[in-house]
Amino acid sequence: MSKCEVTGKGPVVKNLVSHSNIKTKSTALPNVQKKRIFSRVLNQMVRLQIAASAIRDMEHVGGFDNYILNQDDSKLSKRAMAVKMRIKKKISSKN
């Protein structure tokens, strides 16, 4: 069972309800893809497991760097948190 490293989205247990109101348990998995995403601040590719919905959100916000910097730390995986710290360090060293 995969989990998005940026948003924290994971499998969800849900009920499929028939016309006769019989409830059957099932799991809904997020559309998680292994992607290489370009970070403009780091000037290199970053490999993460990321949900397709998060990719769309990144494009809406204005790129990977903006999205990950505005993301809550509790949702990020260890690898994503390490990338966020590298981006913050690179930004602070430029100033």
Side-chain angles (χ1 to χ4, degrees):
M1 303 269 184
S2 55
K3 188 174 180 179
C4 179
E5 292 185 302
V6 178
T7 60
K9 286 185 179 184
V12 178
V13 177
K14 62 179 189 172
N15 284 323
L16 297 176
V17 182
S18 70
H19 179 67
S20 61
N21 205 24
I22 296 172
K23 294 167 186 73
T24 308
K25 291 267 187 183
S26 69
T27 57
L29 301 174
N31 185 8
V32 176
Q33 309 290 324
K34 292 179 183 174
K35 286 293 198 184
R36 290 175 53 214
I37 304 164
F38 185 74
S39 171
R40 290 185 182 147
V41 174
L42 299 176
N43 200 26
Q44 67 181 13
M45 299 297 273
V46 178
R47 187 180 303 265
L48 290 172
Q49 286 189 343
I50 188 163
S53 59
I55 295 170
R56 287 193 302 272
D57 292 344
M58 274 182 219
E59 292 173 0
H60 181 75
V61 170
F64 173 70
D65 299 323
N66 286 340
Y67 185 77
I68 201 163
L69 288 174
N70 293 329
Q71 195 65 264
D72 187 23
D73 291 348
S74 62
K75 293 181 181 179
L76 297 176
S77 69
K78 290 180 183 179
R79 289 179 359 150
M81 194 65 196
V83 171
K84 183 176 181 176
M85 289 301 142
R86 284 175 44 204
I87 291 171
K88 279 185 176 180
K89 183 184 272 188
K90 188 89 167 195
I91 290 172
S92 64
S93 68
K94 285 183 181 180
N95 294 337

